[in-house]
Amino acid sequence: MNKIVLFLMLLCGVQAFSQNGSVSGIVIDKKNQQPIFGATVRLENSQFGCIANEKGEFLITKITPGTYNIKTEMIGYVSVTLFNVVITNGNANTFTIDLTETTNEQGVINIQSFNYGKELESPLSVQSLSAEEIKSNPGGNFDISKVIQALPGVGGLSGAGERNDLIIRGGAPSENVYYLDGIEVPQINHFSTQGSSGGPQGIINVSFIETATLNSSSFNAKYDNALSSVLQFKQRNGNATRVQGNWRLSSTELAGTLEGPIGKKTTFLASARRSYLQYFFQLIDLPIRPNYWDFQYKVNTKINEKNTITAIGLGAIDEFYFAVPKNSDPTKEYIIRSNPNINQWNYTMGFTWKKTLENGFSNLSLSRNMFNNRLDRFEDAQEGNEEKRTFKSESQEIENKLRYEINQFYGNWKFVYGASFQYVKYNNAFFARIAPSYQDPNTGATIPAVSIAFNTSIDFIKGGAFVSMNRLLWNDRLSLTAGLRSDMNSFTTNGTDPLQAMSPRASASFAINSKWNLNVATGRYAKLPSYTILGYKEDGISTNKNSPYILCDHLALGTEYLPSNSVRVTAEGFYKSYNNYPVSIRNGISLANEGSAYGAIGNEDVENKGTGRAYGFELFFQKKFTTSYYLTASYTFFKSEFTGDDGVYAPSAWDNRHLLSLIFGKKFKRGYELGVKYRFAGGAPYTPYDLVASQLSYLTLGTGVLDYNQINSQRLPFFNQLDIRIDKKINFKKSTLDVFLDIQNVTNAKSYSPDIYTFERNAANTGYSTTDGQPIQTNGSNAVPIFLENINGSLIPAFGIIFEF
């Protein structure tokens, strides 16, 4: 009892035992990555501060725990403010602060003081989040992919909150690329959809992240395969002065992070996480049972003043299966037991070597990533009974990558150029039952089952080269950028033609005055079709080998208003035009109009004759943390349409039209914090069933038949979700306890998906009900067709603690 009373007293606001908070890091010149001696680093509205030493290093100790904004200044450089930095007695904060040289206070690059990730090459369609904004995001559950969905132009499949399929400006989830400290990471979610990128839970540990930056247009030429976005994660370095770490325990997972020095020149970060979501979902009676592990590390070694080597790693082990909830019936039970089991694992490992040059710096990166995906589906969940098997896919994607880039500055000119090389492999053992065996009612003969099966193994080389140049004019008020990229591969029919994937781009930014900017960007971007498409075979022949690169032309125009150092307002319009988009030969429908779900997409014969368009506008308001609160609000309107075999534009599977997001955070005395997030998405389109064809073919296909003459002509109800998070931090002498309650979907709003067509099962669940009491006919004429509602959405509370030591 005394222990309980003591715990309640702590939650009611016991003051910190001492002032042992600290912040450290290094200040460097953004152009040449050299340390800046003499830079002033201070915590605003406090007496804490210091001056960086000759190595650019700074250390501020004995800080009173709380939330601060850290401002870094140096004569001849644009000042930078890090907002919403939480200082505790547990873990010391470590930052790498980039300062940009300038000769005036009104130039276009002065906007970088807002610290939202803008680069000269990408003057618009850029948003950035700090580590604290990710950690404290209501409903985010420390998942970066979920937090990103609150940014303008970003939605999810059907608007649903249970998955991390990022739909950015009307593009598919597969059109996004992800970089971790400059190394591409193909999978950032558990239970990924192969041929896409989404999944229900993120992999990346937020304790590693310093910033996350999203570019939704105006991509730097050094990035390949991006049609809709580039999401860059910048990891911090481990603490160079002492070993520290944290444990995070919640109702869904247990995670541990450890960091510290290894000698005088090396630091490390390492973490592991174990989920027990399967038990939580069983408790609240949901049918899904996800189970995963993930691991992450970073080792940074500064060899000397000019050379730094960094090693990173990220990996996951996933198991996903379905179970029948208590509130069910024989028909629902049969459908649930017919869903596939998913077993996956993936990893990315890489090294980067950064070398400072006389007028810039170079980066050399070497990495390897692998994705192993196994899907098994048996009728009525009869695992191991091969006669009841309806689907199997066991595949591996392997990429070995080398990339070299040089960044150089000459006066008001900036040049970036380099090349990339990849050796890739893809294997797949595939089986799908198209029709089960049955007995002919007229002859009594047994008609054998019809199935598709193939084994594929391909390997080839991909290469690319890029160059971009930027020029500052009119006393740094005008920034002009032009870039060019070309990609080739040794697999597709015309893959060695450097003109097929030639990608020119250009952008401009003009500072009307110290508070207003006008930005414009245009460009062509290219992406190789997914490996599931390239590796598909019929009768041992790669039928999609003639697939060209998918092309997407962007045009974006926007303005931004910066009334103060902590407030940013933007308005942007965009237009995207697609060519060479894959269309299914099986049904003549664009893959964009079919959508994606768990498992894999693209294992079929396609022809790349589809076109598409996505266009709309975005409004965004952001107030960084000052005094005691922060606020962001965004609204996006867009249309996303693609053509199939008939050449007629139809809404894509993610054409939600309207996206709204609001986030408010308030910090109170004694370590309390409140966060509120609201998201709204318009109803996603869907295709109705052809009722006659569905009844005739259900026993053959095991599913209803969609009426593609009415492709995506119907719409689901809108999606909305309210999330609330409450935190209480308690500081001890050398440690900190953070107690939090994160409630997703406070109003218990529902998320809708298209109904499921099926035949009613009998009460004993031994077969199908019939209208005449006789055995079911193979054409389904005496079956009882029904629709099962496909409605998700539950209030999900997550209570947890974070212990920093």
Side-chain angles (χ1 to χ4, degrees), residues 12 36 186 226 246 279 327 389 422 565 627:
C12 289
I36 298 177
N246 66 72
Y279 305 119
N327 184 20
R389 178 183 288 279
Q422 297 184 38
N565 190 42
T627 57

Side-chain angles (χ1 to χ4, degrees), residues 658-767:
H658 302 278
L659 301 172
L660 175 68
S661 175
L662 302 170
I663 300 176
F664 173 78
K666 173 73 174 177
K667 301 203 175 189
F668 302 91
K669 295 180 180 179
R670 298 183 179 272
Y672 286 98
E673 180 176 355
L674 171 68
V676 180
K677 179 174 69 176
Y678 176 76
R679 287 193 298 134
F680 172 92
Y686 70 95
T687 302
Y689 290 104
D690 183 325
L691 299 182
V692 174
S694 294
Q695 186 163 0
L696 287 172
S697 305
Y698 181 81
L699 292 180
T700 300
L701 301 176
T703 184
V705 177
L706 298 178
D707 184 358
Y708 287 118
N709 291 320
Q710 303 184 63
I711 182 73
N712 288 343
S713 60
Q714 309 296 312
R715 286 193 177 268
L716 298 168
F718 65 82
F719 164 85
N720 78 114
Q721 182 168 309
L722 176 67
D723 305 320
I724 295 178
R725 180 184 172 101
I726 301 172
D727 282 78
K728 164 63 179 172
K729 289 182 172 62
I730 307 163
N731 285 281
F732 303 99
K733 186 176 182 180
K734 292 185 178 180
S735 60
T736 298
L737 179 67
D738 183 355
V739 182
F740 66 88
L741 175 63
D742 195 349
I743 306 176
Q744 298 182 43
N745 196 15
V746 173
T747 61
N748 199 30
K750 300 306 177 183
S751 174
Y752 296 86
S753 297
D755 292 344
I756 301 172
Y757 181 96
T758 186
F759 287 167
E760 183 180 79
R761 302 283 291 183
N762 59 33
N765 204 12
T766 57

Side-chain angles (χ1 to χ4, degrees), residues 253-324:
E253 64 185 19
L254 172 65
T257 301
L258 192 66
E259 63 178 289
I262 305 176
K264 295 182 179 181
K265 296 183 177 182
T266 302
T267 62
F268 78 94
L269 278 163
S271 74
R273 179 170 57 164
R274 172 73 166 94
S275 161
Y276 36 90
L277 273 171
Q278 67 273 33
Y279 305 119
F280 181 74
F281 287 155
Q282 182 179 1
L283 180 67
I284 62 177
D285 202 30
L286 291 180
I288 56 176
R289 297 291 186 268
N291 176 26
Y292 63 81
W293 285 84
D294 58 49
F295 311 90
Q296 192 170 342
Y297 69 83
K298 177 181 180 180
V299 179
N300 188 76
T301 301
K302 190 168 185 178
I303 299 174
N304 53 43
E305 292 301 320
K306 291 189 175 184
N307 295 276
T308 301
I309 292 180
T310 302
I312 71 162
L314 181 69
I317 303 172
D318 303 331
E319 179 186 12
F320 191 100
Y321 60 97
F322 291 83
V324 179

